[in-house]
């Protein structure tokens, strides 16, 4: 096997794909409820639309992928985690906005479901974290890393 590590030029994680049923409806949720900013929005191919969003100042983006790109939405698999500086405030804000989310913040002494399977229980998760679902049922983890 050839060592390609010295020739590969990958320098960052780019975009996480989030399948959605209605891109306009999902866009409104991510902009208005989560406070993300729209980075890219254009059409391509046969009336397909590419939308990239990110938290303000973030390097990585998510793309709201239409059903024409493959798998449908509503996955109980969490394939993306967001980082926060104040998990208590974000938990309260999302709850007040009516977002489908964990009732409690998981931390040492508590538990949460698995990232990819709801049939798995993780005990004593550290650092503090909780799951929420977007309007298409996609599940995300919010984590407050240690200071």
């Amino acid at each position: 096997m050839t060592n390609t590590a010295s020739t590969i030029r990958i320098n960052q994680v780019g975009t996480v794909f989030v399948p959605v049923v209605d891109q306009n409806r999902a866009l409104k949720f991510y902009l208005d409820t989560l406070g993300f900013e729209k980075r890219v929005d254009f059409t391509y191919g046969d009336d397909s639309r590419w939308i990239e969003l990110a938290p303000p100042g973030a390097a990585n983006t998510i793309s709201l992928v239409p059903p024409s790109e493959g798998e449908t939405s509503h996955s109980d698999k969490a394939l993306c985690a967001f980082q926060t500086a104040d998990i208590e405030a974000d938990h309260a804000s999302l709850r007040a906005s009516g977002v489908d989310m964990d009732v409690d913040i998981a931390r040492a002494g508590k538990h949460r479901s698995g990232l990819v399977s709801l049939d798995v229980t993780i005990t004593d998760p550290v650092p503090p974290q909780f799951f929420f679902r977007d309007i298409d049922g996609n599940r995300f983890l919010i984590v407050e890393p240690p200071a």
Side-chain angles (χ1 to χ4, degrees), residues 74-141:
H74 193 69
S75 170
D76 278 331
K77 297 176 183 176
L79 303 176
C80 180
F82 298 118
Q83 181 174 314
T84 181
D86 188 343
I87 200 158
E88 300 288 342
D90 285 350
H91 190 264
S93 180
L94 290 173
R95 182 182 309 175
S97 295
V99 172
D100 179 15
M101 57 187 282
D102 291 351
V103 173
D104 296 313
I105 297 171
R107 55 183 90 230
K110 297 191 177 192
H111 66 276
R112 67 161 169 78
S113 60
L115 294 174
V116 179
S117 173
L118 294 175
D119 296 328
V120 175
T121 299
I122 306 301
T123 57
D124 293 325
V126 175
Q129 52 198 262
F130 69 91
F131 287 106
F132 77 92
R133 287 178 175 77
D134 70 6
I135 57 174
D136 285 289
N138 295 300
R139 190 165 59 110
F140 296 93
L141 187 67

Side-chain angles (χ1 to χ4, degrees), residues 2 4 21 37 45 48 50 63 66 74 76 81 94-96 114 122 128 130:
T2 304
T4 59
V21 173
E37 59 187 23
S48 292
W50 186 262
S63 178
H74 193 69
D76 278 331
L94 290 173
R95 182 182 309 175
I122 306 301
F130 69 91

Side-chain angles (χ1 to χ4, degrees), residues 28-48:
K28 183 172 176 39
F29 173 82
Y30 284 90
L31 294 176
D32 296 348
T33 304
L34 298 183
F36 283 24
E37 59 187 23
K38 183 168 45 172
R39 301 273 180 90
V40 175
D41 189 348
F42 63 86
T43 57
Y44 65 96
D46 296 329
D47 295 323
S48 292

Side-chain angles (χ1 to χ4, degrees), residues 57-72:
N60 301 68
T61 61
I62 64 167
S63 178
L64 304 178
V65 180
S68 63
E69 285 284 348
E71 187 177 325
T72 60

